[in-house]
Amino acid sequence: MPNRMEQLCVQKGMRMTEQRRVIARVLGEAQDHPDVEEVYHRASVIDPKISIATVYRTVRLFEDAGILSRLDFGGGRARYEEAPEEHHDHLIDMKSGKVLEFHDDEIEALEERIARRLGFRLVGHRLELYAVPLGVEDERRR
């Protein structure tokens, strides 16, 4: 059964080779935000003949088609997620590298108010919070 990403590729009229299907499957099933090397690693487990060049080309094709979102959380490597159906923001744990997705109505309203106050209508945004876990010292300061 094709996942949502595979279905979007077909809807966009892409020719779906078996290797593109594997890459779409890997990306569509990802619970994290993998970089191209991680996508390659996961895809090569399914199809050992897949090349990193194929993964790079396919990721770029999916990104250009609006099926995949490119994220830059620093560290020199772009990471990817399926283009979200609904808006969300990201909090990046600087210790572990884990990325948490969240949505906050208060933040959304504040962004709208700021844009209006500056004479604009907000049409989109991206919010990334970089953080470290609270430790004992942080708890004492509260």
Side-chain angles (χ1 to χ4, degrees):
M1 175 85 136
N3 67 24
R4 181 176 175 275
M5 183 167 281
E6 289 177 85
Q7 292 170 352
L8 288 171
C9 291
V10 171
Q11 288 171 7
K12 297 266 183 177
M14 285 184 192
R15 187 172 64 84
M16 291 303 287
T17 64
E18 188 53 39
Q19 291 186 333
R20 284 182 184 172
R21 286 186 192 287
V22 167
I23 295 165
R25 195 171 313 128
V26 165
L27 286 163
E29 292 172 358
Q31 298 299 309
D32 55 354
H33 299 78
D35 63 18
V36 169
E37 301 233 348
E38 183 58 31
V39 173
Y40 167 69
H41 171 73
R42 294 173 191 178
S44 64
V45 169
I46 299 167
D47 180 356
K49 294 179 285 187
I50 205 161
S51 73
I52 189 127
T54 298
V55 175
Y56 270 104
R57 280 192 306 272
T58 303
V59 163
R60 169 65 98 182
L61 178 71
F62 291 175
E63 184 184 354
D64 290 346
I67 295 167
L68 196 62
S69 293
R70 183 180 201 269
L71 306 166
D72 184 6
F73 299 138
R77 287 193 163 166
R79 295 168 72 174
Y80 296 89
E81 70 179 355
E82 185 176 334
E85 291 183 57
E86 295 182 12
H87 170 76
H88 63 265
D89 296 309
H90 297 96
L91 182 139
I92 299 91
D93 179 337
M94 298 301 292
K95 288 215 182 271
S96 70
K98 184 176 181 179
V99 178
L100 305 170
E101 296 178 353
F102 70 94
H103 177 86
D104 186 289
D105 290 333
E106 288 180 70
I107 290 173
E108 300 300 317
L110 177 61
E111 291 164 338
E112 292 282 346
R113 285 195 311 272
I114 291 169
R116 272 196 310 274
R117 184 173 55 221
L118 296 172
F120 291 88
R121 180 177 55 85
L122 191 64
V123 295
H125 78 278
R126 179 175 283 179
L127 177 64
E128 297 165 359
L129 303 175
Y130 297 86
V132 294
L134 287 173
V136 175
E137 291 298 313
D138 296 310
E139 289 295 326
R140 283 190 208 138
R141 281 188 241 145
R142 283 182 171 203

